[in-house]
Amino acid sequence: MIRIAIVDDEQMISQQLEAQVEEYFPGDKMEKEVFIFTDPVEFYSKVEQGERFEIYLLDIEMPGIGGMELADKIREKDRSGYLLFITSHVEYAVEGYERNAYRFIPKSLLAEKLPLALRNIVEELEEREDQRAYLIQNSLRCERIPFHAILYLYKQGKNVIFVTELGTSQDRTTLSEVYQALDEESFIYIDRGYLVNIRHVMKVKNNEVFLRDGTTLYISRSHVQEVKSRISAYWKK
C-alpha cells in the first residue's frame, strides 16, 4: 500500500494533483491511499503525531506554514519518504535539495512531469522489495546490505567503505571485486576509487554528482562524459 499526501491550500490544484495520481494508479495497478490537506497546519499536526506517507506532494508557498518548513518537519520524522515540491518558483530548488527532495515539478508542467516522477518512485519502491544484497562475511560478523540501500562506495586502504541509508560498513576487499559482485547497471565509477548508486543521484553538474541525502561527490575528469551519459540513459528508462 502506497500512502500519498497532497498538501496544497488551493483546492483546485489539490484536485488536479489527486486526478493525476488517480490516473497513474488506475484500478488494481497498485494499491494506494490518497490524503488531501488544504490546511498545512493540519498536516503539520499529523506529522507531529507520527503520520507517515511514502510520497509527499507539497506546495511550497502556503499561508502559515510553507512547504519548506513542512519538509523540515517531515525529515525529522521520516528520512525515506519521497518529497515532491509543486511550485511556480524553481529558484527554491537549492533549498529543497538540502531537504533531500526527490523532484521539483512546475505547476505549469504537472501533466507532463508528475506521471514520470510517480513512475520513477514506483520503480524504486519495487526495487526495495528486491532481495538482491551484498554480503559481508568474516570472522567477526556477517552483514547483508541491500543493493538499493547503498548510496556510494569508496576505497580506504585495504577496505571498501559502504555508505548506505542507515550508516557505513566496511569489507576487506577491492572495489573491483565489489563491483563484480554487485553486477548492477545502476552502479557506476565516478573515479577509480569511488562507485555511486545511480538510484540516489539527483543531479550532475560540471564535475560533481549530487545525491539524494545531500552528499556531493567529485567526478574525475576521465570519467565525466561516461558518468553523464550513463546517468542520462538510466533516467530515460
Side-chain angles (χ1 to χ4, degrees), residues 1-4 21-34 54-55 82 117-129:
M1 175 72 71
I2 295 180
R3 288 165 52 85
I4 302 169
V21 170
E22 293 290 347
E23 184 177 346
Y24 184 79
F25 294 99
D28 59 357
K29 182 174 181 179
M30 182 171 285
E31 289 189 68
K32 54 90 179 57
E33 284 186 287
V34 181
E54 277 70 42
I55 302 173
Y82 290 87
L118 292 174
R119 186 188 76 186
N120 293 156
I121 289 172
V122 168
E123 287 175 352
E124 291 191 18
L125 290 173
E126 288 174 343
E127 286 175 351
R128 290 187 181 187
E129 299 298 321

Side-chain angles (χ1 to χ4, degrees), residues 183-188 198 230 234 237:
D183 189 28
E184 277 273 293
E185 64 175 5
S186 59
F187 288 90
I188 184 172
I198 299 176
R230 283 275 306 278
Y234 186 89
K237 290 179 58 178

Side-chain angles (χ1 to χ4, degrees), residues 133-138 141-147 162 171 181:
Y134 182 87
L135 185 64
I136 298 176
Q137 191 168 12
N138 54 45
R141 76 186 194 284
C142 182
E143 182 178 358
R144 181 179 179 277
I145 305 177
F147 288 174
F162 293 71
D171 192 15

Side-chain angles (χ1 to χ4, degrees), residues 35-165:
F35 301 83
I36 294 178
F37 299 90
T38 54
D39 181 355
V41 176
E42 177 192 357
F43 175 74
Y44 187 97
S45 176
K46 293 288 186 181
V47 174
E48 276 278 295
Q49 294 168 22
E51 285 278 358
R52 297 290 183 277
F53 303 88
E54 277 70 42
I55 302 173
Y56 301 83
L57 299 175
L58 306 176
D59 185 16
I60 288 183
E61 294 186 290
M62 292 181 288
I65 301 177
M68 292 298 175
E69 188 175 351
L70 288 178
D72 287 336
K73 176 55 62 177
I74 291 168
R75 285 297 175 238
E76 287 178 12
K77 307 287 186 179
D78 181 0
R79 296 296 301 173
S80 62
Y82 290 87
L83 298 181
L84 297 178
F85 284 112
I86 312 301
T87 181
S88 300
H89 303 279
V90 294
E91 62 267 22
Y92 288 108
V94 173
E95 291 183 59
Y97 287 128
E98 291 174 354
R99 294 162 173 82
N100 194 11
Y102 186 73
R103 295 281 169 84
F104 276 78
I105 301 177
K107 289 184 178 180
S108 60
L109 297 175
L110 276 179
E112 176 186 347
K113 299 295 185 180
L114 183 55
L116 178 60
L118 292 174
R119 186 188 76 186
N120 293 156
I121 289 172
V122 168
E123 287 175 352
E124 291 191 18
L125 290 173
E126 288 174 343
E127 286 175 351
R128 290 187 181 187
E129 299 298 321
D130 199 325
Q131 296 302 306
R132 289 173 296 176
Y134 182 87
L135 185 64
I136 298 176
Q137 191 168 12
N138 54 45
S139 59
L140 297 177
R141 76 186 194 284
C142 182
E143 182 178 358
R144 181 179 179 277
I145 305 177
F147 288 174
H148 69 77
I150 300 171
L151 302 176
Y152 64 96
L153 313 92
Y154 63 92
K155 185 69 176 173
Q156 185 178 77
K158 296 182 178 181
N159 296 309
V160 171
I161 308 300
F162 293 71
V163 181
T164 76
E165 294 174 328

Side-chain angles (χ1 to χ4, degrees), residues 94 201-210 216-219 224 227-228 231 235:
V94 173
V201 173
M202 295 299 300
K203 179 174 66 172
V204 179
K205 184 177 181 181
N206 298 325
N207 65 333
E208 294 180 317
V209 61
F210 298 80
T216 301
L217 299 173
Y218 289 96
I219 308 169
V224 169
V227 168
K228 289 182 177 180
I231 290 176
W235 283 344

